Amino acid sequence: MKIRKNDTVIIIAGKDRGKRGKVRRAIPNEDRVIVEGLNMIKRHSRAGKAARQAGIIDLEAPIHISNVMLLCDKCGRPTRISFRSLADGKRVRICNSCREVID
Ligand SMILES: [Zn+2]
């Protein structure tokens, strides 16, 4: 998974294009992420087991990772990433703009 929890991403498609936010949750088997405060949807619900309260609830909808780009905290640019294996076998992510190790 190229994008992980607590990464900062910028939205590149849809109504929130250009906005940035922090990844609250990554969903690797769907290639989606949930970003704090972005891609909000309204869900109408009635009080029940799942919802404590009836009414309209704002929810963050998962965004496909092809619609976001990682913001590199080293160079500050939205970037694509690649992977590199270190001498100890650990796989790290590399910023394709500045070639710095991201994690
Ligand atoms: Zn960078």
Side-chain angles (χ1 to χ4, degrees), residues 71-77 79 95-100 102:
L71 268 184
C72 172
D73 58 5
K74 303 289 191 320
C75 63
R77 283 183 287 190
T79 185
C95 168
N96 279 2
S97 296
C98 64
R99 312 308 299 176
E100 291 284 340
I102 290 173

Side-chain angles (χ1 to χ4, degrees), residues 31-57:
D31 281 343
R32 288 172 194 273
V33 291
I34 291 176
V35 184
E36 277 180 14
L38 295 181
N39 204 33
M40 303 301 285
I41 53 165
K42 293 204 184 297
R43 173 145 304 168
H44 300 257
S45 69
R46 284 199 274 166
K49 278 182 196 154
R52 265 160 275 146
Q53 223 180 322
I56 302 168
I57 299 170

Side-chain angles (χ1 to χ4, degrees), residues 61-102:
I63 308 171
H64 197 261
I65 56 168
S66 64
N67 293 330
V68 304
M69 282 184 91
L70 184 63
L71 268 184
C72 172
D73 58 5
K74 303 289 191 320
C75 63
R77 283 183 287 190
T79 185
R80 292 183 195 285
I81 63 148
S82 49
F83 290 95
R84 184 191 294 163
S85 293
L86 301 181
D88 63 2
K90 191 167 177 264
R91 251 169 124 228
V92 295
R93 297 179 298 172
I94 307 288
C95 168
N96 279 2
S97 296
C98 64
R99 312 308 299 176
E100 291 284 340
V101 174
I102 290 173

